[in-house]
Amino acid sequence: MMVTYYQWKWLPGVPLDTVRTDPTRMAQGIMTGIGFLGAGVIYKEGRSVRGLTTAASIWITAAIGILLGVGFYFTAIVATVCTIGTLSVFRRIEARMPANFYAHHSLSFDRNNVMPEKEVRQLLTEHGFTVANMSYRISDDGRLFEYIMTIGTIDHDKIASLAETLRCRDNVQTFQIAPGG
């Protein structure tokens, strides 16, 4: 920021009235670039959007850097204290809120002994899961019928309970429960 402000010093011999500087253009360029970097850390996974706090933190850090660069130390210190305070308060609030856990789930049966979809959904509901979406597939050269879905629950411990139930069922050929983030 200071380089753009003292641009006339690094252009010696040029009359001052011909050098037109606008230090705000540097700040605008920084914030635009940081905005693109922040947008890169935001992503959608299942039903959740992640990276918003990270993106906001990157952006405010750049803004504080600009304040320091132009010499607004008091404003930068106040902004830093406010940012750290806000992030700390919201971390505590977030820790107390119930969180949804999502997992990618596949379940396969012998093609001639498939559990009906209604029963699969009922089994998942009994274990405390919701089904976000479901698709179907025939695999293993036509031997297996698969349900592929995203399941969600508030209690992460229910995943082990569901896995144990599926392991004990004779008609289940294979299953996979892969936590999704």
Side-chain angles (χ1 to χ4, degrees), residues 11-26:
L11 294 171
V14 178
L16 288 177
D17 62 341
T18 61
V19 177
R20 304 214 186 265
T21 62
D22 183 6
T24 61
R25 296 180 97 190
M26 175 67 83

Side-chain angles (χ1 to χ4, degrees), residues 92-102 153-156:
R92 288 192 179 111
I93 292 170
E94 184 181 25
R96 292 182 181 193
M97 294 176 67
N100 288 328
F101 297 98
Y102 291 98
T153 184
I154 293 177
D155 186 1
H156 191 268

Side-chain angles (χ1 to χ4, degrees), residues 40 48 68 77-78 95 101-102 122 124 132 134 139-140 156 165 179:
S48 64
L68 290 169
I77 291 169
V78 169
F101 297 98
Y102 291 98
Q122 183 178 353
L124 293 169
M134 185 174 296
S139 65
D140 200 23
H156 191 268
T165 299

Side-chain angles (χ1 to χ4, degrees), residues 114-180:
V114 176
M115 178 186 284
E117 180 181 342
K118 186 175 181 179
E119 288 181 33
V120 170
R121 287 181 182 271
Q122 183 178 353
L123 175 72
L124 293 169
T125 302
E126 288 170 0
H127 279 82
F129 289 91
T130 58
V131 178
N133 58 38
M134 185 174 296
S135 60
Y136 317 92
R137 178 171 88 172
I138 302 249
S139 65
D140 200 23
D141 294 328
R143 279 189 343 97
L144 298 177
F145 179 86
E146 283 186 84
Y147 294 107
I148 303 166
M149 64 202 87
T150 303
I151 56 175
T153 184
I154 293 177
D155 186 1
H156 191 268
D157 295 333
K158 293 185 180 204
I159 293 175
S161 172
L162 175 62
E164 181 62 23
T165 299
L166 294 173
R167 185 185 69 78
C168 294
R169 293 190 70 114
D170 291 333
N171 61 340
V172 174
Q173 296 293 312
T174 65
F175 73 89
Q176 179 180 9
I177 306 171

Side-chain angles (χ1 to χ4, degrees), residues 24-77:
T24 61
R25 296 180 97 190
M26 175 67 83
Q28 180 270 329
I30 292 170
M31 297 316 287
T32 299
I34 293 299
F36 277 106
L37 289 175
V41 300
I42 299 171
Y43 63 95
K44 182 177 183 284
E45 183 178 349
R47 290 183 169 182
S48 64
V49 177
R50 300 193 171 271
L52 294 174
T53 304
T54 303
S57 297
I58 290 170
W59 190 88
I60 194 66
T61 302
I64 292 168
I66 291 170
L67 290 171
L68 290 169
V70 295
F72 291 165
Y73 301 116
F74 179 74
T75 309
I77 291 169

